[in-house]
Amino acid sequence: MANKLIREIGLPKSIANIFAARNIVTAKDALSLTEFELMELLDVGWAEVTSAVAHISAIVCPPYQSALSLMEQRVQNEHLAGHLPTRLKGLDEALCGGIPFGVLTELVGPAGIGKTQFCLKLSLLASLPSSYGGLDGHVIYIDVESKFSSRRLIEIGAKSFPEIFLTKGMAQKMSGRILVWRPASLSEFTEREYEQGIPRQHPLGWHVSFIKSLAEFSRIPIVVTNQVRSQSRDEACQFSFQVQRWKETKEDQARYGSHLVAALGVHWAHAVTIRLVLEAKSGQRFLKVSKSPISPPLAFPFDITASGMSLLSDDGIDLTGPDINAIRSQGHSDIINFTGESLQ
């Protein structure tokens, strides 16, 4: 709006011609000068200048909005926002309906903690008929680690929605809506995005930009997973006052696994709107809402069952301080299902 032309703003023709004669072409040109400077430059009176500045400002400056008006707009446009319910009551309540449309939601946690189980269940919920509370949509499942299991997908569906999956042809119909792509390499994934006209930028940067744009402009829920890695001493001691604290807590971090951090770093973390952390502490798994603009930090104990992830309590545990971002793996081992096979 700052580059809007003076001649298109609707000023009286006489004053607009004076602006043009003094080479003040855009709103930015006019508003960059004080009223006294404009009086001297345009050789007009105070009343004409203040009236022109007020008119230009009213046209190009966005109107203010109160928190109440923003909330009312959100309610009116709820159909454009939308959520994918996870069927985990406590989590859905914390996120005001589930996984939101239009932003990136990230799952972070060590291997075997349940990220794939959660993603399989979300895939089913997205393809579930709307009459059963689903989105009645299609899913693109990018399986870069080759962990997608169609057998496990059907098992979760049959245990979670027996009335649907036991209906002839429904299991095939729903699973047919889930498209699985396994890129052989990062370069293959890269080239597929280049085909869509994505410019060659920093490898991580353009991936984030593309996925964020896809979520925002298509108004769809996008869930990405992230592994964990050990936090280095340099990362933990960016400031001198942190060095002593690092020495004092190093043994505790090693014992409880809280020295783990999300693998893709700060650049990626800024791109995601919601971060859900899966961790294990004293052998109990927890799902944490670590980052969200609409929920306080909360933790929910959970188990993995034949029907997928199940919360042990819908009442979230309030988190404060380091517990919000800590990722623990104390007493954690691979998840074992009822047939004794590892579920990654």
Side-chain angles (χ1 to χ4, degrees), residues 112-152:
I113 194 69
K115 298 188 298 295
T116 298
Q117 303 300 304
F118 195 18
C119 289
L120 290 175
K121 185 66 170 285
L122 290 178
S123 298
L124 285 171
L125 292 170
S127 62
L128 196 69
S130 56
S131 57
Y132 288 89
L135 298 183
D136 200 19
H138 289 74
V139 177
I140 299 177
Y141 194 113
I142 302 177
D143 184 21
V144 297
E145 296 182 322
S146 298
K147 290 185 176 181
F148 181 89
S149 169
S150 56
R151 181 188 63 80
R152 177 59 176 151

Side-chain angles (χ1 to χ4, degrees), residues 236-248:
C237 301
Q238 298 179 19
F239 304 99
S240 58
F241 66 83
Q242 294 176 308
V243 175
Q244 182 60 34
R245 183 172 178 269
W246 165 265
K247 294 177 180 178
E248 294 173 352

Side-chain angles (χ1 to χ4, degrees), residues 10-308:
L11 287 173
K13 189 174 181 180
S14 57
I15 191 71
N17 289 338
I18 297 176
F19 273 101
R22 301 299 190 273
N23 201 31
I24 300 178
V25 180
T26 67
K28 182 179 179 180
D29 296 336
L31 298 179
S32 296
L33 300 173
T34 67
E35 285 88 345
F36 291 105
E37 290 172 331
L38 285 173
M39 285 178 60
E40 182 178 358
L41 182 62
L42 302 178
D43 194 22
V44 296
W46 173 260
E48 290 91 339
V49 168
T50 54
S51 176
V53 169
H55 182 80
I56 294 172
S57 300
I59 295 297
V60 302
C61 295
Y64 72 88
Q65 288 182 295
S66 67
L68 176 61
S69 65
L70 290 174
M71 183 180 69
E72 291 173 342
Q73 288 179 19
R74 178 180 176 184
V75 172
Q76 294 173 357
N77 298 327
E78 185 62 26
H79 67 285
L80 296 177
H83 296 82
L84 169 59
T86 66
R87 298 293 181 96
L88 302 173
K89 183 180 177 182
L91 180 61
D92 285 343
E93 290 178 352
L95 298 180
C96 298
I99 305 298
F101 292 6
V103 299
L104 299 187
T105 299
E106 179 192 41
L107 297 179
V108 182
I113 194 69
K115 298 188 298 295
T116 298
Q117 303 300 304
F118 195 18
C119 289
L120 290 175
K121 185 66 170 285
L122 290 178
S123 298
L124 285 171
L125 292 170
S127 62
L128 196 69
S130 56
S131 57
Y132 288 89
L135 298 183
D136 200 19
H138 289 74
V139 177
I140 299 177
Y141 194 113
I142 302 177
D143 184 21
V144 297
E145 296 182 322
S146 298
K147 290 185 176 181
F148 181 89
S149 169
S150 56
R151 181 188 63 80
R152 177 59 176 151
L153 180 76
I154 297 300
E155 179 185 19
I156 293 175
K159 295 292 185 179
S160 302
F161 317 107
E163 69 279 13
I164 301 176
F165 271 73
L166 295 180
T167 302
K168 184 178 180 180
M170 282 302 296
Q172 291 84 346
K173 181 179 180 180
M174 288 182 60
S175 58
R177 293 176 174 176
I178 302 173
L179 310 177
V180 181
W181 177 41
R182 288 176 172 166
S185 63
L186 178 61
S187 59
E188 180 183 339
F189 184 43
T190 299
E191 292 303 323
R192 180 64 61 91
E193 292 187 3
Y194 287 157
E195 292 172 6
Q196 306 301 320
I198 305 302
R200 294 178 181 268
Q201 304 169 11
H202 184 275
L204 183 59
W206 64 252
H207 276 297
V208 175
S209 298
F210 173 72
I211 298 173
K212 285 190 65 176
S213 298
L214 183 63
E216 180 178 354
F217 292 109
S218 300
R219 305 306 302 172
I220 58 175
I222 292 184
V223 177
V224 295
T225 61
N226 193 355
Q227 298 288 359
V228 297
R229 61 178 176 81
S230 297
Q231 184 182 33
S232 69
R233 183 180 186 278
D234 291 339
E235 291 175 306
C237 301
Q238 298 179 19
F239 304 99
S240 58
F241 66 83
Q242 294 176 308
V243 175
Q244 182 60 34
R245 183 172 178 269
W246 165 265
K247 294 177 180 178
E248 294 173 352
T249 61
K250 187 175 181 181
E251 292 185 1
D252 289 339
Q253 288 182 330
R255 182 165 65 252
Y256 293 108
S258 60
H259 62 296
L260 299 176
V261 295
L264 294 179
V266 175
H267 186 83
W268 178 271
H270 286 317
V272 300
T273 300
I274 294 177
R275 168 172 281 183
L276 304 178
V277 173
L278 305 184
E279 66 171 10
K281 183 179 180 182
S282 300
Q284 175 61 62
R285 295 179 177 86
F286 289 90
L287 167 63
K288 300 196 306 187
V289 181
S290 178
K291 176 185 178 184
S292 169
I294 56 177
S295 172
L298 297 172
F300 300 90
F302 75 91
D303 275 341
I304 298 295
T305 66
S307 60

